[in-house]
Amino acid sequence: MSDDQLAILAANAIYTLFSSGKMYTPITAMELLSRLITYKPPKGLLINTPSPPTRFRLTDISRFESILERLSHTWSQGLLTISRDNGELTLIDVALDSPGSSTLRDGVNSRKRKRIIDEDADSAAGSDDGAEEADATSASTSTLGSLSKELKEVYAILQRSTARGRLLAEQFRSVDESFEPICQQITKEDCAKARRACNPHDPTSSVAPSTICNRVHFRPLIRQYTDPSLGHCSYLNTCYSEPTYAQSPSIPPFPGSTHSHGHVPPNTRGPSSLPSGLGAGGRGKEKAPCRYLHYEVDWDDGDGESDPPPTRKMGVEKHTHKLGIGMGPMGDNMEILPPQWINCDLRRFDYSVLGKFHVIMADPPWDIHMSLPYGTMTDDEMRAMPIPTLQDEGLLFLWVTGRAMEVGRECLRVWGYTRVDEVVWVKTNQLQRVIRTGRTGHWLNHTKEHMLVGVKTVTDASGALKFPSWANRGLDTDVIVSEVRETSRKPDEVYGMIERMCPGGRKIEIFGRKHNTRPGWLTLGNQLGPDQIFEEDLAARIKSKYVAILTR
């Protein structure tokens, strides 16, 4: 599709969206492009257009920014005010031409002030129609449009990010910024078909094989019992009926012989423990296999060569200035230890041997009154958890879902914490689409989970809550969009968020599994295998405590 076609589409979409009041400024070019992707142009807007019709894609961001810059000088339907800061283009204001005039511009951000009606005052003061008409007249011009050139420049400066914010973002930037976008056509065949449809005037396009895009594709797994007409399975690669699901390390074995303080003997694994009536290769009482479509990644050497992804420029990284704040409770001299874990019965383990921690994260097996692939704990057992002994000052991150959202808040109060925030994990599936059939929820299917953020309740002399001085605040957002994996496995992004809030320091995760183990963290759970401890004093305390018990 040509730049002229995209420019016509963009101009029409911007005019329609802003004139209808569905969009307001300021808005970044990426946010505006995301809205324009779903915009359906009117018939006859573009002549000789291919089928499917011309649409923007997220990969067109560079072309879209160029179009916005061109429209800011040549748009005949209004006036666009744009600003570029650190490579990001922002649409500051849009003033549209009124239908019958080429000089008067109606500000899309203008809103009539709601007139407060006081009947007694009206009867005493008389009619105020003139004032109301003046309000309507003044509202027809946008706030930004009425400003002078100097004030517009001041407004543009205020929209930019601060030097402190940029330095913090640079200091805590992710080391691995890899992202593999998935083709919206899913399979290579559908991708090639869609690309051929974009060139209908090519006489060979209907017969010649077309190249595919450079995104990730999937191939359907067609088995003897698969019915493609049913569409894809809601659970996809996390479906209990998938033969590979039982091999997941997240699925606990059946209770067997144990040693030490509660873990399975090394190098052994019993049969998988799945919810009642469920198992690999079948579901329900009849063990009927899942007849819906499942997928696996389809990648071959040479895929997407005709449309290579942009490569990042490699060079010598210049020395960047770092702010002298936010280095955590122990500064930047703390050694990050390899992953540590202790396999134990969390209801009977003596937490006093562990010492104090700056960060606690827990994903408890709440009793949400549903069949789950693991054992649960009652509300009273959760309230009795000795969480307060693990912290004198610090942060607690508590995963909750369903009815546990209320029980979790109660537990925070019982344990001596004050809830200060909440993180939402929006779950996507293997195809990066929002899950529509969650395994939990009595009234609605849950497609998200919540993580409560609590601070140990410590007050000053005036009774005000004291926050840890070493905690970094305002670095991340409270929403994580990430793919669902094995049972109870949480997104990796949450660890990065916590480690940016508290660099260094002692961190512990309770109710963890083997996939939760992470450098700088101590993990507690009953499915971890033989213990691994690198803190010498901690290992000595545990040995003294439990060896003494076993030798009695």
Side-chain angles (χ1 to χ4, degrees), residues 156-375:
I157 292 174
L158 292 176
Q159 301 303 313
R160 299 175 183 174
S161 58
T162 63
R164 180 179 184 275
R166 291 195 295 270
L167 286 172
L168 281 175
E170 182 178 349
Q171 181 173 343
F172 295 99
R173 182 179 56 190
S174 300
V175 177
D176 181 14
E177 297 182 352
S178 60
F179 172 71
E180 298 291 342
I182 292 176
C183 176
Q184 62 179 354
Q185 307 296 337
I186 300 180
T187 66
K188 292 181 179 178
E189 292 76 13
D190 290 340
C191 179
K193 186 186 300 182
R195 291 167 77 91
R196 285 197 300 267
C198 290
N199 299 293
H201 304 293
D202 186 354
T204 62
S205 62
S206 60
V207 293
S210 177
T211 57
I212 60 174
C213 67
N214 64 326
R215 299 189 173 193
V216 176
H217 298 83
F218 293 85
R219 66 167 63 93
L221 298 172
I222 306 297
R223 303 186 176 96
Q224 59 181 0
Y225 46 80
T226 302
D227 184 356
S229 65
L230 297 176
H232 66 75
C233 174
S234 297
Y235 303 111
L236 293 172
N237 56 333
T238 62
C239 178
Y240 289 141
S241 297
E242 272 297 278
T244 57
Y245 186 82
Q247 302 171 12
S248 168
S250 298
I251 299 178
F254 283 119
S257 58
T258 60
H259 70 94
S260 184
H261 34 276
H263 54 249
V264 179
N267 302 321
T268 61
R269 179 173 176 83
S272 298
S273 174
L274 290 175
S276 176
L278 300 175
R283 63 170 63 201
K285 295 181 179 179
E286 297 80 15
K287 299 292 182 181
C290 182
R291 299 168 60 204
Y292 291 83
L293 276 174
H294 295 82
Y295 294 90
E296 65 180 358
V297 175
D298 187 4
W299 178 262
D300 300 309
D301 292 337
D303 280 353
E305 287 184 348
S306 62
D307 191 13
T311 56
R312 179 179 297 178
K313 295 181 180 180
M314 302 298 292
V316 179
E317 183 177 356
K318 62 180 181 179
H319 177 73
T320 57
H321 175 73
K322 294 186 177 181
L323 296 178
I325 62 171
M327 300 310 298
M330 298 183 178
D332 56 356
N333 298 321
M334 179 180 176
E335 178 186 3
I336 303 298
L337 296 174
Q340 303 182 95
W341 61 82
I342 301 174
N343 200 91
C344 59
D345 185 342
L346 294 168
R347 293 170 296 185
R348 299 176 176 84
F349 185 72
D350 185 2
Y351 289 77
S352 63
V353 301
L354 299 176
K356 303 296 182 178
F357 295 85
H358 299 96
V359 170
I360 301 173
M361 184 167 71
D363 181 20
W366 301 102
D367 181 9
I368 58 174
H369 301 169
M370 297 188 72
S371 177
L372 298 170
Y374 48 78

Side-chain angles (χ1 to χ4, degrees), residues 29 70 177 270 388 431 474 496 541:
R70 194 198 329 171
E177 297 182 352
L431 304 180
R541 291 196 300 268

Side-chain angles (χ1 to χ4, degrees), residues 483-518:
E483 181 179 344
V484 171
R485 295 173 292 182
E486 300 95 333
T487 299
S488 297
R489 186 168 185 177
K490 298 302 184 283
D492 293 338
E493 291 85 350
V494 73
Y495 293 98
M497 181 191 71
I498 294 174
E499 288 165 2
R500 285 187 290 273
M501 290 184 68
C502 177
R506 294 192 74 204
K507 301 180 179 68
I508 184 172
E509 179 171 2
I510 307 175
F511 303 103
R513 304 190 184 189
K514 200 62 177 284
H515 56 242
N516 299 117
T517 57
R518 186 178 179 90

